[in-house]
Amino acid sequence: MNPPLNQMLQSQIQIEDDRTGLSIETLRRAIADNLFYIQGKFPAIATKHDYYMALAYTVRDRLLHRWLNTLEVYLKQDVKLVCYLSAEYLVGPHLVNNLINLGIYEQIRQAVEESGLNLQQLINTEEEPGLGNGGLGRLASCYMDSLASLEIPAIGYGIRYEFGIFDQEIKDGWQVEITDKWLQDGNPWEIARPEAAVSVKFGGHTESYLDDQGNYRVRWLPEYIVKGIPYDTPILGYKVNTANSMRLWTSEACESFDFQRFNVGDYYGAVDRKVFSENLTKVLYPNDEPIKGKELRLQQQYFFVSCSLQDMIRIHLNEGNTLDNFAEKFAVQLNDTHPSIGVAELMRLLIDVHYYPWEKAWEITEKTFGFTNHTLLPEALERWPLGLFGHLLPRHLEIIYEINKRFLDQVRLKYPGNNEKLSSLSLIDERGDKYVRMAHLACVGSHKINGVAQLHSELLKKTLLKDFYELLPEKFTNVTNGVTPRRWMVVSNPELSQLISSKIGENWIKNLDELRKLEGFIDDGGFRQQWREVKRKVKQDLAQYIHDKLGIIVSPDSLFDVQVKRLHEYKRQHLNVLHIITLYNRIKQNPNLDITPRTFIFGGKAAPGYHQAKLIIKLINSVGDIVNHDPEIGERLKVVFLPDYNVTLGQRVYPAADLSEQISTAGKEASGTGNMKFSLNGALTIGTFDGANIEIREEVGEENFFLFGLKTEEIDQLRAQGYNPQDYYNSNPELKAAIDLINSGFFSHGDGGLFQLLINSLLYLDHYLLFADYQSYLDCQERVSQAYKDQEHWTRMSILNTARMGKFSSDRSIREYCDKIWNTSPVPIQMKDYVQADG
Ligand code: GL9
C-alpha cells in the first residue's frame, strides 16, 4: 500500500484524481487514503467498519459532482421542485444502491478485492437507517429513487430520528424490542447544513395589532422556540447525472432563546431546555397504536413541516421571486396526514409573515398541496384533541377555524339546511370531545387527493371521504403504488437481473415495460432451466442464512412460502398459521401423506403496544417449534420466523420466494408494495381481491395468480346478515381441529391459556373474517401445491409474473404524479467539472 502522505505531496492533480478517478488503482488508493485520513486508522488496527467507512467516503466523493451540479442547475434555472413531505423514509442500505446507480459496482468490487477485502462483507456491515415503520416509508424511498432516475427536481423532506424503528429480537418466541442506534458509528452519507437552520415556535399565545397602514394583523408569541438543522443525503438517479436531496431535520435548542428565558445562573434550567428541544426528533413513533394523546408526535409533525416550508420559501425568495408564483415553483405532496399541518402552516407564513391577504394565500396553498391517503383503517385517522392542539399551536388553531368557517359556508350553499353534512365535513369533530380532523384539513387544503391502488381510491370515495367526494369530485384521483426495480431487482437479485439482461438487454431497468420481451423466451426450455437455476441458487443462499441465524435446516427444493410484512390482524398472518396447523394435522392423521414440501417463512415487526400482533408472533414460533422437531413431519413442513425484518432482509427474501402471501381481508390493505416486489422476482401470489393484488392479477393474468376469499361487497353482505364465526368453527372439522389444537396447549407446553386472547377474538368476533375465508384459502393452497409439482409449468408462470410487472415500477407511479398532480417535467443535468473550472 502506498504511503498516503507521500502521495499527497506528489502533486495537486493526484489528489483531485483520487476523489473522482475510477481506475481500479485510483479507487484502491482512495480507499487506503480515506482509511488513513478520515477514519484515522492503518490496516493493522482497522475494523471491518473502518473499511466500510473508507469505502463509503470513496463512493461519496464520486457522487458529489453530480449532487452539486444538480443543486446548481436547480438554483440557476429556477426549476419547479417536487417537495415530498413524509414523516417516514425507509431508505435501506446506501452503499450498494449508490454503486449500482453510479454504475461503478464492478470497478469498486475489483478495487476492494485488490485491497484484500470482500465487497459483499463490507456491504453487509452497513446498518440501514430505519426511519419508517413499513410500506408507507418504503414507498417514499422508492419514489425518491424514481424522481431522481426520471430527472425530476425533488427534495424529500423528513425527520432525522436519532432512534428509528426498533431492532427486533425473538426470545422464547416473543418479540423483544431493542433500541436502534443507527447513528452510533457515524453516517458517511449525510452532510449537515447548519447554515440553513431555521427556527420553529411552539405554544404561547397570539395577539392582534394594526400595522403602519392600519391593516389588521396577528402575531404569535410562542412559549419556546426550537432550532431545526437540516442534514442532506444525496439520492442518485440510475445512470443519470441527477442527484436529488433527502433533507432530514434534527431539533436543537435555540441558544439565544435560552438566555432570554432563563436568568443568568440558571445553568441547569438552560440545559433542561436543551434536552427538551433535542427530545423532539429523538424517536420514531411506531404505528398501529392510538396516537391521539401524544403531544410529542404533533410536535414532530409540526416541527419538520414548518422547517421544510420555511426552507422552500427561503429558496424561492433567494432566487429573486415573490411568493405570488410559489405554487408554480413548488409541488408539495403530503404523504398521508402526518404532514397535513402544512396547510395551516403555509397559510400562517403567507399571512402573518409575508402579509398576504387571506384569499390570495388560500389560492396559493390549495394549488401547492396534494394529499395521498394510505389507509382506510379508522384507527389510523389522525385527530388531535382540540385542547392539546390549541395549547401547542394556538395560531394554527385560529387559522383552522377560519379555513373551516369559509369551507362550511361553501358546504351550506351546496346543502342548504343540512346540518349532518356540516358536522360530517367539518374540520372540527364536535360529536363529543372535540378534535381537529387532520384528513379534512388535508382535503380542503389540497388541489388533488389520491388513493394508492384502484380499489383503495374507489373505497375512499365510497367510505372514508364520501362526503368530500360528493362535494369536490374533481379533486379525486388514483395513483397505484410502484416499487423501484433498481433496489428490488438489480441490487437485491443480481443473478436474475443478469439472466434477464442477457436475453433482452438492460433497458428494462429504466423502462420496466420492456420485461414483456421475456415472454418471447417462454418456450425456450434452456431459458426456463436457467430461470430455475437462479431461483434455486438464491433459495440456497436464504437457506444458508436461515441456518446461520436460527439453526434450522430447510431444503431449497421445498416450496418457499413467504409472508413478510408488518404484523397486523388485518394482514392475517394467523390465517397462514391455520393453514400450517391443518397440514400438520393431516400428516399426523395420515403419516404417509404425499404433500408438496413447504418452508413457511415469516418476518415482520409488531408495534410494541399491539398485544394481539405480538401474540401472533409467539404463535408462529410456537407452531414452528413443534412442527420443525416432529420426526413424523420430517422435511415436509418447516416454519421459520426471521427476526428483525427490514429493507436489508427484504432484499434477501423477495428473490428467494416461490409463493407470496397477500392474504389481507378484502378492502383493508390499501395497496401493498411487497406484493409487487415478490412478483417482480418471479414469485406467484396467493392473494385476496384487495389493494394492488387486483391490478397485479389483471396484469399477470388470472391463470398465473392464486385468488381466494371474499370480495369487499361479499364481506359487506355477510356483515349485514350478521357474521358469526362460530358457524364456521362448528361446521368445518379441519378448522375446528386447528383451533382446538391451539387451545389445548399443544403448542404451548400444555398452557391452554397462552393463546386464549387470540383464539377468543377469532371465535367471538373475528373482525377480519379469517374463518369465513379459511376454506377458500385451504382449497387455493391445495391448487398451489398441485401446481408446484409441475415445475415446467410453474416456471412459465414465474417468468410471466416477472415479464408482466412493468406497470408496478415506481417510475410509472411518479410519471402519473407528475402529470396528474404536480404538473412538472424532467430537467436533465449537464455535468460541469468544479475542480477544474472553479479551482
Ligand atoms: C400503508 C398501507 O397499509 C399499504 O397498503 C400501502 O401499500 C402503503 C403505501 O401506500 O401504505 N399505509 C400505512 O399506514 N402503512 C402502509 O404500509 N403502514 C406502514 O407504513 C407501517
Side-chain angles (χ1 to χ4, degrees):
M1 213 161 277
N2 288 346
L5 190 60
N6 281 353
Q7 220 179 285
M8 244 185 71
L9 297 172
Q10 266 170 25
S11 80
Q12 191 71 25
I13 302 298
Q14 187 70 75
I15 291 168
E16 286 159 9
D17 187 49
D18 271 5
R19 298 228 143 169
T20 55
L22 291 174
S23 73
I24 310 300
E25 175 53 20
T26 306
L27 290 170
R28 191 193 61 72
R29 206 171 45 226
I31 296 168
D33 261 23
N34 284 331
L35 182 70
F36 190 90
Y37 288 107
I38 306 236
Q39 285 307 100
K41 290 277 184 83
F42 51 87
I45 59 165
T47 64
K48 208 162 273 157
H49 179 259
D50 290 323
Y51 276 110
Y52 162 76
M53 294 293 271
L55 175 58
Y57 281 111
T58 304
V59 175
R60 193 178 99 172
D61 284 343
R62 277 148 189 82
L63 59 77
L64 268 167
H65 273 73
R66 293 176 197 229
W67 199 14
L68 295 179
N69 263 303
T70 305
L71 292 176
E72 190 177 353
V73 169
Y74 290 177
L75 285 181
K76 283 205 175 136
Q77 296 185 12
D78 195 14
V79 300
K80 182 166 191 177
L81 267 180
V82 173
C83 295
Y84 202 76
L85 291 191
S86 180
E88 303 191 6
Y89 290 91
L90 273 178
V91 282
H94 292 285
L95 175 58
V96 56
N97 195 246
N98 284 339
L99 292 177
I100 297 285
N101 283 13
L102 279 171
I104 61 170
Y105 184 93
E106 196 42 41
Q107 293 94 307
I108 288 283
R109 191 190 59 74
Q110 286 184 38
V112 166
E113 236 147 64
E114 288 198 9
S115 311
L117 303 160
N118 176 295
L119 179 57
Q120 198 52 50
Q121 275 181 10
L122 295 186
I123 286 171
N124 291 346
T125 54
E126 181 173 351
E127 177 137 17
E128 69 171 75
L131 309 183
N133 276 289
L136 173 146
R138 182 52 234 175
L139 184 78
S141 287
C142 281
Y143 283 178
M144 289 307 296
D145 179 284
S146 284
L147 281 162
S149 295
L150 295 172
E151 304 175 295
I152 309 290
I155 304 181
Y157 283 107
I159 301 174
R160 184 173 173 272
Y161 301 106
E162 189 177 334
F163 301 106
I165 181 81
F166 62 87
D167 293 335
Q168 179 195 56
E169 287 184 5
I170 300 296
K171 295 226 164 94
D172 188 28
W174 295 98
Q175 166 174 300
V176 176
E177 298 94 22
I178 313 285
T179 35
D180 155 64
K181 301 204 183 81
W182 72 289
L183 286 171
Q184 187 170 263
D185 298 325
N187 174 7
W189 303 105
E190 66 182 9
I191 296 184
R193 307 280 188 203
E195 73 281 7
V198 296
S199 298
V200 180
K201 305 184 204 182
F202 289 98
H205 63 278
T206 65
E207 57 184 36
S208 53
Y209 66 101
L210 293 178
D211 69 9
D212 297 345
Q213 280 88 48
N215 296 309
Y216 175 86
R217 305 263 179 236
V218 177
R219 70 176 140 239
W220 174 15
L221 299 154
E223 188 198 344
Y224 57 97
I225 300 180
V226 173
K227 198 160 64 171
I229 314 282
Y231 284 71
D232 291 350
T233 302
I235 306 290
L236 290 173
Y238 177 72
K239 293 191 180 173
V240 288
N241 295 328
T242 300
N244 285 329
S245 301
M246 178 171 69
R247 173 160 276 196
L248 304 181
W249 299 94
T250 284
S251 62
E252 273 190 14
C254 189
E255 276 148 37
S256 56
F257 201 76
D258 284 347
F259 284 117
Q260 201 179 312
R261 188 181 150 88
F262 297 100
N263 301 330
V264 183
D266 187 8
Y267 175 74
Y268 291 97
V271 172
D272 242 16
R273 176 56 76 195
K274 184 169 156 58
V275 170
F276 174 86
S277 300
E278 285 168 4
N279 253 343
L280 226 150
T281 52
K282 259 297 163 231
V283 57
L284 165 75
Y285 276 99
N287 66 346
D288 305 334
E289 266 180 61
I291 208 110
K292 62 172 183 269
K294 298 190 176 145
E295 187 175 3
L296 184 59
R297 167 77 171 183
L298 180 57
Q299 285 179 325
Q300 288 185 337
Q301 294 181 347
Y302 176 62
F303 167 77
F304 100 89
V305 168
S306 177
C307 287
S308 308
L309 285 168
Q310 291 185 60
D311 198 45
M312 290 172 221
I313 289 177
R314 182 185 54 78
I315 294 171
H316 190 63
L317 297 180
N318 274 349
E319 285 170 20
N321 294 293
T322 73
L323 292 176
D324 290 7
N325 68 338
F326 185 78
E328 279 84 74
K329 294 292 174 181
F330 290 87
V332 182
Q333 195 64 23
L334 302 171
N335 198 25
D336 216 287
T337 52
H338 318 149
S340 57
I341 185 64
V343 171
E345 173 67 353
L346 183 55
M347 285 300 284
R348 185 188 71 82
L349 290 167
L350 289 170
I351 292 169
D352 294 356
V353 182
H354 297 278
Y355 306 128
Y356 270 75
W358 182 279
E359 290 75 15
K360 182 70 194 157
W362 184 248
E363 190 192 318
I364 296 172
T365 298
E366 205 182 344
K367 272 194 201 156
T368 299
F369 287 106
F371 166 47
T372 308
N373 170 284
H374 291 267
T375 180
L376 297 167
L377 296 188
E379 60 266 35
L381 267 189
E382 287 195 302
R383 304 180 308 158
W384 295 105
L386 210 67
L388 182 156
F389 192 98
H391 181 70
L392 195 68
L393 301 171
R395 180 58 183 142
H396 296 78
L397 188 56
E398 290 172 3
I399 289 172
I400 287 172
Y401 278 140
E402 182 65 22
I403 296 174
N404 201 33
K405 190 184 108 204
R406 291 167 185 249
F407 171 62
L408 292 182
D409 282 346
Q410 218 184 306
V411 176
R412 254 180 229 104
L413 284 182
K414 168 116 191 202
Y415 306 106
N418 189 338
N419 284 334
E420 227 158 83
K421 280 281 182 215
L422 289 175
S423 135
S424 77
L425 282 163
S426 174
L427 306 196
I428 312 292
D429 184 347
E430 309 200 56
R431 292 168 307 182
D433 294 340
K434 293 186 182 173
Y435 294 96
V436 183
R437 293 163 158 164
M438 300 312 278
H440 292 208
L441 179 62
C443 284
V444 296
S446 301
H447 66 288
K448 288 286 172 190
I449 301 163
N450 74 286
V452 290
Q454 275 163 18
L455 175 73
H456 170 62
S457 293
E458 286 310 308
L459 291 175
L460 259 185
K461 296 192 282 188
K462 284 189 195 142
T463 61
L464 199 67
L465 301 178
K466 180 169 185 286
D467 292 328
F468 277 97
Y469 176 61
E470 277 168 20
L471 186 69
L472 307 160
E474 67 288 348
K475 280 196 184 188
F476 282 75
T477 186
N478 169 250
V479 181
T480 298
N481 283 168
V483 301
T484 167
R486 272 73 64 182
R487 185 173 293 274
W488 296 113
M489 188 64 136
V490 184
V491 168
S492 61
N493 200 346
E495 292 89 350
L496 196 61
S497 300
Q498 272 153 29
L499 175 58
I500 292 170
S501 296
S502 75
K503 292 291 172 191
I504 65 171
E506 287 190 351
N507 284 346
W508 61 272
I509 300 169
K510 294 221 78 161
N511 176 9
L512 204 63
D513 289 325
E514 292 211 6
L515 285 177
R516 286 261 175 193
K517 291 183 180 165
L518 287 174
E519 290 192 38
F521 298 90
I522 196 96
D523 292 324
D524 176 346
F527 176 61
R528 291 201 305 273
Q529 179 63 28
Q530 286 177 302
W531 192 269
R532 272 193 300 276
E533 279 164 12
V534 167
K535 183 62 87 177
R536 161 89 208 200
K537 149 94 181 36
V538 284
K539 285 172 76 177
Q540 176 64 56
D541 291 346
L542 183 61
Q544 186 65 48
Y545 178 86
I546 291 170
H547 183 253
D548 294 346
K549 283 271 162 199
L550 302 167
I552 302 171
I553 295 176
V554 305
S555 164
D557 294 319
S558 64
L559 187 164
F560 277 18
D561 178 336
V562 187
Q563 188 170 20
V564 285
K565 48 181 79 237
R566 286 293 290 237
L567 263 289
H568 202 294
E569 287 163 281
Y570 86 77
K571 295 176 188 282
R572 302 200 294 192
Q573 281 93 350
H574 43 342
L575 178 59
N576 189 337
V577 175
L578 290 179
H579 173 231
I580 299 172
I581 296 174
T582 304
L583 293 181
Y584 178 78
N585 281 340
R586 285 181 191 168
I587 299 176
K588 296 304 278 187
Q589 273 184 5
N590 178 4
N592 295 322
L593 192 68
D594 175 30
I595 71 162
T596 300
R598 290 205 196 208
T599 301
F600 295 90
I601 297 169
F602 293 86
K605 295 173 185 178
Y610 187 179
H611 298 292
Q612 213 69 295
K614 292 174 117 174
L615 203 49
I616 295 174
I617 294 180
K618 173 67 175 167
L619 177 65
I620 294 167
N621 284 309
S622 301
V623 169
D625 262 356
I626 298 292
V627 170
N628 296 345
H629 297 115
D630 189 329
E632 223 168 5
I633 301 299
E635 301 305 301
R636 284 176 288 185
L637 303 177
K638 292 285 175 200
V639 182
V640 175
F641 188 94
L642 292 172
D644 204 32
Y645 181 66
N646 58 11
V647 175
T648 309
L649 188 48
Q651 290 175 191
R652 285 182 185 276
V653 169
Y654 292 114
D658 293 307
L659 187 66
S660 154
E661 297 270 354
Q662 306 301 335
I663 61 178
S664 50
T665 315
K668 296 292 178 193
E669 189 69 272
S671 162
T673 44
N675 45 6
M676 302 166 186
K677 296 164 197 167
F678 277 114
S679 272
L680 180 61
N681 283 276
L684 304 196
T685 304
I686 181 163
T688 47
F689 216 70
D690 198 17
N693 293 353
I694 299 171
E695 291 161 72
I696 291 174
R697 177 168 172 268
E698 212 169 274
E699 291 294 307
V700 304
E702 55 186 75
E703 66 286 4
N704 302 306
F705 187 106
F706 296 97
L707 179 72
F708 76 97
L710 296 171
K711 303 201 161 77
T712 43
E713 317 84 67
E714 294 167 334
I715 288 175
D716 291 343
Q717 276 174 25
L718 182 60
R719 287 219 169 98
Q721 289 162 20
Y723 172 61
N724 184 1
Q726 307 254 339
D727 296 346
Y728 296 83
Y729 170 80
N730 289 322
S731 63
N732 190 322
E734 286 204 311
L735 173 60
K736 183 169 188 304
I739 293 292
D740 289 351
L741 197 61
I742 299 172
N743 248 342
S744 73
F746 181 77
F747 298 110
S748 40
H749 306 281
D751 177 1
L754 186 61
F755 298 112
Q756 194 101 61
L757 269 179
L758 197 58
I759 296 305
N760 283 351
S761 94
L762 290 176
L763 279 171
Y764 302 110
L765 300 166
D766 196 14
H767 281 307
Y768 299 103
L769 298 124
L770 278 77
F771 286 10
D773 276 346
Y774 169 84
Q775 193 56 50
S776 167
Y777 182 54
L778 258 94
D779 295 344
C780 193
Q781 286 285 21
E782 183 53 34
R783 296 202 297 279
V784 171
S785 289
Q786 291 309 324
Y788 195 71
K789 287 185 178 160
D790 183 351
Q791 277 291 301
E792 284 295 352
H793 186 63
W794 185 278
T795 309
R796 284 172 184 268
M797 294 196 287
S798 166
I799 294 169
L800 288 178
N801 264 264
T802 302
R804 296 173 178 178
M805 287 306 288
K807 174 174 174 185
F808 303 99
S809 167
S810 44
D811 297 347
R812 187 270 312 148
S813 311
I814 286 298
R815 282 200 190 91
E816 282 189 33
Y817 277 100
C818 288
D819 295 345
K820 295 184 190 170
I821 301 175
W822 301 331
N823 187 27
T824 173
S825 41
V827 176
I829 305 296
Q830 309 300 327
M831 288 301 271
K832 141 182 166 188
D833 192 333
Y834 288 93
V835 182
Q836 302 288 332
D838 299 340

